[in-house]
Amino acid sequence: MTGTTHASTPGAFATAMRRAISLSTLGPSWGINPRVGCVLLDVNGAVLAEGWHRGAGTAHAEVDALSQLPPSAARGATAVVTLEPCNHTGRTGPCSEALLRAGIGRLVYGVRDPGPASSGGAERLANAGVDVIGGVSADEVSESIHAWLTAERLRRPFVTIKWASSLDGRIAAADGSSRWITGDPARHDVHERRAAVDAIVAGTGTVLADDPSLTARRPDGSLAEHQPVPVIIGERPVPDDAAVRRGPVPALVYPDRDLPTVLTDLFERGIRSVFVEGGPTLASAFLAAGLWDEILTYTAPVLIGGPRLAVTDIGVGTLTDAPRLTVHDVRRLGDDVLFITRPKGR
């Protein structure tokens, strides 16, 4: 007997999917693996067990949930999973096979796995006679793992460009002073986001001028539990005693400005998200090349004037050439405002 695959969104499973999404956020946002949550329901719709993925090398969400049940307790159950179960062997075995061994009767998932090697779990289960329903709460699931999905589909890290500027778009005064344009709440938000990505990227100009550590810190100044990899791009040498070389994670240095090659290498190293904080020259290079997925603009209610703009030439000769952005979110951080924008129409 062969199971069936549906693309509907039954309301009966939406509540369980929302719970699975919430569980997925308990896992790390960085690393090669996505955040995934799983809820197992009995034949009456009651929750049997829950699970989530805790990072590379640990049990996947489906296996984590199954591990909480005695043998045969999941037979005939419904597995509600945010991402299509994997169908390959990596550090752990395929979740599709684990679900089949447990005897589940139905799989409900949010979005398909875009990985060329790991996808196919839904088809594997359907071919084995399991009822498969896909696309449940797909928009919500996609947003919860937006960066990872984008990286997997584009085969490069998700690129976030960040700058802090005055209301008139300046990142520093005429004398170069820029500390601090924004207030404490905005700076704390930046560090929380740094601690949620794989790498921070800066140009050699910024490293030589500002000597940043490129670390993620808590409000008390201590290092956050997860530290991103510092990535330095540029031809000028970085001194051995630079702060970025004294940090908790060894820096990766790319002595050129071939951004596509840099991103490809980072992806192959398992880096799925990068935070570009390298000043206007590097930010403009990413923008001009179209190698960006999100912009964080921390705007302070102050006027500076002068030539030190957040972005330089990005190849826009006329207004019709200007890239249009979609405002994804706007947040008030003390006296400052954070605009989160993404490419329009992607």
Side-chain angles (χ1 to χ4, degrees):
M1 177 181 178
T2 301
T4 56
T5 301
H6 309 281
S8 55
T9 309
F13 301 120
T15 298
M17 186 62 77
R18 284 195 295 271
R19 175 58 181 166
I21 294 172
S22 178
L23 289 168
S24 73
T25 64
L26 299 174
S29 60
W30 59 87
I32 197 170
N33 296 118
R35 286 173 156 178
V36 181
C38 175
V39 176
L40 298 178
L41 305 175
D42 67 15
V43 293
N44 297 314
V47 175
L48 284 171
E50 299 177 333
W52 67 91
H53 184 48
R54 292 165 173 78
T58 66
H60 288 192
E62 301 93 320
V63 175
D64 183 44
L66 290 170
S67 69
Q68 301 171 42
L69 298 174
S72 76
R75 188 161 301 279
T78 294
V80 180
V81 192
T82 54
L83 184 69
E84 175 190 18
C86 68
N87 197 44
H88 81 306
T89 299
R91 293 189 183 182
T92 59
C95 291
S96 58
E97 295 298 330
L99 292 171
L100 286 175
R101 287 195 302 272
I104 69 158
R106 180 185 292 115
L107 167 69
V108 177
Y109 71 91
V111 298
R112 284 194 176 276
D113 187 336
S118 55
S119 61
E123 183 179 5
R124 172 73 182 90
L125 288 161
N127 289 340
V130 175
D131 186 35
V132 176
I133 302 175
V136 174
S137 304
D139 288 345
E140 293 88 340
V141 173
S142 295
E143 180 56 34
S144 71
I145 52 173
H146 176 66
W148 182 86
L149 282 174
T150 301
E152 289 297 315
R153 289 166 178 164
L154 298 179
R155 310 307 292 173
R156 64 156 175 79
F158 183 89
V159 177
T160 297
I161 300 174
K162 167 263 174 183
W163 64 74
S165 67
S166 62
L167 197 61
D168 54 347
R170 270 63 181 179
I171 61 169
D175 64 355
S177 59
S178 60
R179 296 185 180 183
W180 297 103
I181 290 177
T182 54
D184 286 343
R187 294 197 295 277
H188 295 333
D189 187 79
V190 169
H191 280 277
E192 287 180 3
R193 293 177 184 275
R194 284 182 174 186
V197 299
D198 291 314
I200 300 180
V201 183
T204 51
T206 296
V207 171
L208 294 174
D210 299 338
D211 196 27
S213 62
L214 301 184
T215 56
R217 295 184 177 275
R218 301 184 181 93
D220 63 5
S222 63
L223 290 174
E225 180 179 358
H226 169 69
Q227 288 297 311
V229 177
V231 177
I232 306 168
I233 300 176
E235 298 173 352
R236 286 184 283 177
V238 177
D240 291 338
D241 62 349
V244 71
R245 291 193 182 277
R246 304 193 307 269
V249 181
L252 295 175
V253 180
Y254 294 90
D256 58 52
R257 293 190 176 275
D258 186 348
L259 298 183
T261 298
V262 170
L263 291 178
T264 296
D265 185 70
L266 291 174
F267 186 85
E268 291 175 350
R269 291 174 180 268
I271 289 175
R272 295 295 181 266
S273 57
V274 300
F275 209 51
V276 178
E277 289 198 66
T281 300
L282 188 61
S284 299
F286 274 94
L287 291 170
L291 296 172
W292 64 280
D293 304 294
E294 188 172 74
I295 298 174
L296 305 179
T297 306
Y298 294 85
T299 305
V302 61
L303 300 174
I304 298 176
R308 296 180 180 270
L309 295 167
V311 176
T312 59
D313 182 16
I314 59 172
V316 176
T318 183
L319 188 59
T320 56
D321 296 333
R324 295 290 177 176
L325 284 59
T326 296
V327 177
H328 176 68
D329 197 5
V330 179
R331 301 182 185 182
R332 183 77 177 264
L333 299 169
D335 290 333
D336 307 316
V337 178
L338 168 61
F339 293 91
I340 303 176
T341 50
R342 294 176 179 173
K344 191 176 184 66
R346 182 180 294 179

